């Protein structure tokens, strides 16, 4: 929101300097982003042309001698303006001055062999307007040698504030002045807007067929207007805030929009066929808007139409057909109330951003609908002349103020500051609220321009921003006599530990979109149960992700497309299988591409690494589960994962027959094709929220870590088993042989060959033996080996390989 200091003082009686106003705005919640003190126009001075002669080598150039009023000899300037003449008084820029309209810093130069020591400027070169057919021509009494900016009132500082979406009342200069006055910085000039009597009824009638979209509509005809350029003061204000003056009628609507936060629209009455109807747009209906673009509408949008069709997209932009131009003599002024949600949705769907939409989607003051049209009528009569008809008001049922029960003690409870009750009520009254009743609890009527205020906490916020948050006294945190208990939840702790575990395995954390294309969601189990977004930000972000893997695979492929083919990425975040709370899961997922193995990727002294595979993904998944506290010694690995994995190179991790803790594997070629990805790719997903909670300890005494004083020993065994026997089954059988002595079992080789017999394979395991009570003898080791062989034979049918 931009405005000039003089514009603000139209509504605020104050002697406060600019610096104090800027500081106060920020302190009451209207954060100042930028202040332009117009110092860029200070180098321009009023100068007089003494002589003007033809350039010796150019037909369209003239050589001027210019008196800059500084008491020094006149300077020579080469000028190409057709109105350059002796006696002209204009704006002069000396060498070294920056000219904003052409983005040039002037220097002394030669133009066709003639030196030029400066420049006589046009309005466009000073960014005053688009006029550039001649240089600025000032009246004869303009004081030569003085500041042009001060003379033309262009030294008016420009203030820009950053508005939060909950402050529609501050989208107007008047609303900002009201807040400043309430803070004690001046007095609000609240001159009443008088109703203007009309002659006869407005012949164009309005019918509202969609009352849920239009909460009120005011229309007024003004006959016999002359729509020329708006006056200088109005043009300068619009230019200062970044708007381009168009014509008096259009400029008036823009001025009222910023001055009072009341968007308006003007129709050329002679271009309107019949009466106006506010209705839903018809599917496929089109309108050529004022920006010159044609828009295709849908039935959930609201339009203003006449007998010819759509004339305006309600609350957003008018149509080109009924727009006002220099030939307009009869004008219809419209002031309406549009549904904020519909306005926002329509603007987003059509990708139209206008000042009107900005205000309507936040909520405008309903009680200013009719005064707004009265103010616009007065400006039209003052600037364009004409005869007004009576105002036609349709559909407005009046405003019923919201009542909020306000315990005055809430200020102290929520802020920690003791603000006297009388002070709180006085602040609210100055802001336009109306407290009713007495005592410690009062009822407060919310003004019509504050749709954002709903409860007592909002009233506390209003009191505090005016009372001053800088009145909050800093206090040290109190000391605790005991160690704090656990603050983070189990899920938060697991999320952190999973990230650390995957990070130390050489993987880089990625943050991907929660929205993915529909075809990607279908590849990863979305299908008919996928969560579709009602209003996606892009066509390829239409579904909530059922898995983290599509985003990670796409990220890995983007790296590969840029020459980084060996990459390992992980993410710990949420997936969405439905709209219920129990269908949103916390998942740790990762992918490896190319040769991005744990031990390193690319070339090294030992030779090139092999491509990533299913066992790399399995190791990552187990590491993540172990970090989350899962009992990894009791996990079961079943062959085959979901359909997006390779059927022979994937697996599912379970804890018991029903609890699925994760999946891993190499990706199916069709999955990679659907994601437009390539290369060796494997990945995993671990369901962090499925890991069972740790059992509560019966005592607070921490278990002691038992360290053995005796040497550990490792022995290798190779068993010949049927091909159908899983390695995990054999490992569990070996572990069960002696749980006290055997500390671990791992597989280090699997061999299949004709020498073993048909349907057989060899599984070689390493058994870690850790004595705790004494050093084991050879007889102890032989007895333990027999138990391992017997146990494996009973549970798997395996025999020692000869």
């Amino acid at each position: 929101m931009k405005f000039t200091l003089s514009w603000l003082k139209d509504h605020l009686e104050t002697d406060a300097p600019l610096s104090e106003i800027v500081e106060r705005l920020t302190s009451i919640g209207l954060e100042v982003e930028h202040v332009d003190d117009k110092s860029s126009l200070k180098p321009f001075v009023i100068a007089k042309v003494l002589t003007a002669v033809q350039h010796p080598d150019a037909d369209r150039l003239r050589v001027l001698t210019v008196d800059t009023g500084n008491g020094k000899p006149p300077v020579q300037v080469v000028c190409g303006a057709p109105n350059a003449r002796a006696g002209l008084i204009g704006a002069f820029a000396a060498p070294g001055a920056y000219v904003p309209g052409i983005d040039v810093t002037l220097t002394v130069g030669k133009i066709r062999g003639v030196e030029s020591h400066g420049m006589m400027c046009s309005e466009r070169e000073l960014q005053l307007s688009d006029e550039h057919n001649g240089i600025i021509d000032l009246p004869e009494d303009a004081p030569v040698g003085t500041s042009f900016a001060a003379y033309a009132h262009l030294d008016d500082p420009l203030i820009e504030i950053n508005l939060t979406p909950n402050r529609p009342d501050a989208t107007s200069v008047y609303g900002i002045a009201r807040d400043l006055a309430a803070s004690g910085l001046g007095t609000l000039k609240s001159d009443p807007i008088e109703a203007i009597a009309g002659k006869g009824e407005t012949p164009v009638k309005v019918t509202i067929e969609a009352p849920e979209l239009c909460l009120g509509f005011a229309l007024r005809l003004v006959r016999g207007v002359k729509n020329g350029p708006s006056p200088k003061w109005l043009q300068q204000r619009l230019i200062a805030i970044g708007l381009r003056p168009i014509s008096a009628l259009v400029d008036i609507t823009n001025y009222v929009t910023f001055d009072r936060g009341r968007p308006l629209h003007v129709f050329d009455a002679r271009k309107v066929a019949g009466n106006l109807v506010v209705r839903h747009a018809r599917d496929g209906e089109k309108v050529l808007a004022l920006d010159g673009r044609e828009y295709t509408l849908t039935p959930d949008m609201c339009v203003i139409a006449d007998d010819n069709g759509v004339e305006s997209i309600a609350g957003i932009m008018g149509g080109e057909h009924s727009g006002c131009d220099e030939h307009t003599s009869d004008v219809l002024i419209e002031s309406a109330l549009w549904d904020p949600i519909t306005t926002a949705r329509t603007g987003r769907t059509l990708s139209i951003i206008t000042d009107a939409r900005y205000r309507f989607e936040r909520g405008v003051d309903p009680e200013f609908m009719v005064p707004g049209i009265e103010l616009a009528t007065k400006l039209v009569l003052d600037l364009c002349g004409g005869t007004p008809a009576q105002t036609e008001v349709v559909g407005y049922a009046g405003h019923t103020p919201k009542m909020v029960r306000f315990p005055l003690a809430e200020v102290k409870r929520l802020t920690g500051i003791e603000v006297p009750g009388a002070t709180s009520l006085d602040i609210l009254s100055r802001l336009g609220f109306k407290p009713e009743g007495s005592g410690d609890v009062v009822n407060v009527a919310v003004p019509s321009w504050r749709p954002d205020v709903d409860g007592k906490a909002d009233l506390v916020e209003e009191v505090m921003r005016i009372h001053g948050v800088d009145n909050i006294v800093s206090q040290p945190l109190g000391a605790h006599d005991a160690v704090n208990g656990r603050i983070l939840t189990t899920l938060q702790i697991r999320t952190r530990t999973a990230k650390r575990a995957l990070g130390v395995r050489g993987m880089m954390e990625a943050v991907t979109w929660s929205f993915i294309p529909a075809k990607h969601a279908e590849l990863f189990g979305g299908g008919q149960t996928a969560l579709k977004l009602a209003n996606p930000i892009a066509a390829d972000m239409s579904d909530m992700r059922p898995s983290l893997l599509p985003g990670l695979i796409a990220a890995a492929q983007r790296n590969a497309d840029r020459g980084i083919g060996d990459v390992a990425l992980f993410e710990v975040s949420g997936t969405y299988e439905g709209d219920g709370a129990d269908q949103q899961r916390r998942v740790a997922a990762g992918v490896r591409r190319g040769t991005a193995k744990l031990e390193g990727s690319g070339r090294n002294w030992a030779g090139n690494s092999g491509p990533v595979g299913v066992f790399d993904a399995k190791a990552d998944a187990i590491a993540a589960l172990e970090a989350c506290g899962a009992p990894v010694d009791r996990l079961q690995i079943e062959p085959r994962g979901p359909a997006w994995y390779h059927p022979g190179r994937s697996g599912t991790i379970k804890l018991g027959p029903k609890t699925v803790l994760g999946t891993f594997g190499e990706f199916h070629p069709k999955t990679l094709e659907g994601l437009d990805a390539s290369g060796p790719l494997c990945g995993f997903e671990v369901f962090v929220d499925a890991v069972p909670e740790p059992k509560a300890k019966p005592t607070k005494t921490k278990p002691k870590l038992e360290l053995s004083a005796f040497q550990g020993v490792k022995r290798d065994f190779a068993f010949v088993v049927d091909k159908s026997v899983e390695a995990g089954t054999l490992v569990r059988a070996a572990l069960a042989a002696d749980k006290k002595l055997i500390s671990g079992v791992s597989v280090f080789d699997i061999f299949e060959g004709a020498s073993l017999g048909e349907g057989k394979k060899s599984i070689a395991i390493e058994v870690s033996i850790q004595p705790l009570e004494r050093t084991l003898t050879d007889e102890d080791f032989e007895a333990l080996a027999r138990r391992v062989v017997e146990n494996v034979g009973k549970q798997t049918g395996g025999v020692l390989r000869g």
Side-chain angles (χ1 to χ4, degrees), residues 617-645:
K618 177 185 175 184
D620 291 333
I622 296 297
L625 284 171
E626 185 175 12
C628 292
V632 294
D633 57 329
R634 295 192 286 118
L635 298 180
Q636 301 172 357
I637 310 296
E638 294 186 356
R640 294 184 69 94
W644 49 89
Y645 291 113

Side-chain angles (χ1 to χ4, degrees), residues 199-253:
K199 297 182 179 179
E201 294 185 352
T202 296
V204 178
K205 302 302 178 183
V206 179
T207 302
I208 300 178
E209 294 182 355
E212 73 280 8
L213 304 184
C214 179
L215 310 178
F217 198 106
L219 188 70
R220 184 174 219 166
L221 174 68
V222 182
R223 297 183 177 89
V225 300
K226 294 182 179 179
N227 188 27
S230 55
K232 277 290 183 182
W233 69 267
L234 180 52
Q235 291 190 33
Q236 287 177 356
R237 284 199 170 169
L238 296 181
I239 292 172
I241 62 174
L243 298 182
R244 180 174 61 90
I246 298 173
S247 66
L249 291 174
V250 176
D251 293 351
I252 287 170
T253 63

Side-chain angles (χ1 to χ4, degrees), residues 76 78 95 106-118:
Q76 179 174 278
V78 178
L106 297 179
T107 59
V108 177
K110 286 188 176 182
I111 302 176
R112 293 288 186 93
V114 178
E115 276 194 352
S116 181
H117 296 262

